């Protein structure tokens, strides 16, 4: 499901026009992106938590040449599913 499909689903479930739903979906993603950019965590109860993780600088290898390459430290987005979402996905199965 893409962002456009998500907007169509939101418009049907929330009784909004497709334009209003697209605007709402865009706004939610922009807010999450802005929060993560500022180093904040976004928690949606029952769904999950969006955060960032830091990756340390390391040395890698170019697979073509075998030459060592320095890889700079970076941050990457992370998502951890909430308890309710995990339960719905597992449908009662342990693990």
């Amino acid at each position: 499901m893409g962002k456009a499909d998500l907007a169509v689903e939101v418009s049907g479930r929330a009784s909004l026009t497709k334009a209003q739903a697209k605007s709402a979906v865009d706004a939610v993603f922009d807010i999450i992106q802005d929060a993560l950019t500022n180093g904040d965590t976004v928690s949606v109860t029952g769904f999950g938590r969006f955060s960032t993780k830091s990756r340390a600088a390391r040395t890698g290898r170019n697979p073509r040449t075998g030459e060592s390459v320095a890889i700079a430290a970076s941050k990457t987005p992370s998502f951890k599913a909430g308890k309710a979402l995990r339960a719905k996905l597992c449908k009662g199965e342990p693990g």
Side-chain angles (χ1 to χ4, degrees):
M1 176 181 286
K3 194 158 78 166
D5 299 326
L6 187 60
V8 170
E9 286 291 320
V10 169
S11 72
R13 293 184 187 198
S15 301
L16 300 172
T17 66
K18 288 181 184 177
Q20 290 172 326
K22 181 185 180 306
S23 179
V25 169
D26 287 340
V28 168
F29 286 131
D30 287 343
I31 291 166
I32 292 171
Q33 184 177 346
D34 291 345
L36 294 178
T37 301
N38 292 330
D40 296 333
T41 299
V42 178
S43 296
V44 181
T45 304
F47 183 72
R49 183 178 73 224
F50 297 92
S51 61
T52 56
K53 290 187 176 182
S54 296
R55 291 181 147 181
R58 61 194 188 281
T59 302
R61 268 188 14 182
N62 182 332
R64 184 172 294 188
T65 65
E67 179 183 348
S68 292
V69 178
I71 301 171
S74 63
K75 290 190 177 192
T76 184
S78 175
F79 175 76
K80 182 173 180 177
K83 188 175 180 181
L85 178 59
R86 284 194 313 268
K88 196 168 191 175
L89 291 175
C90 293
K91 295 181 183 166
E93 297 173 14

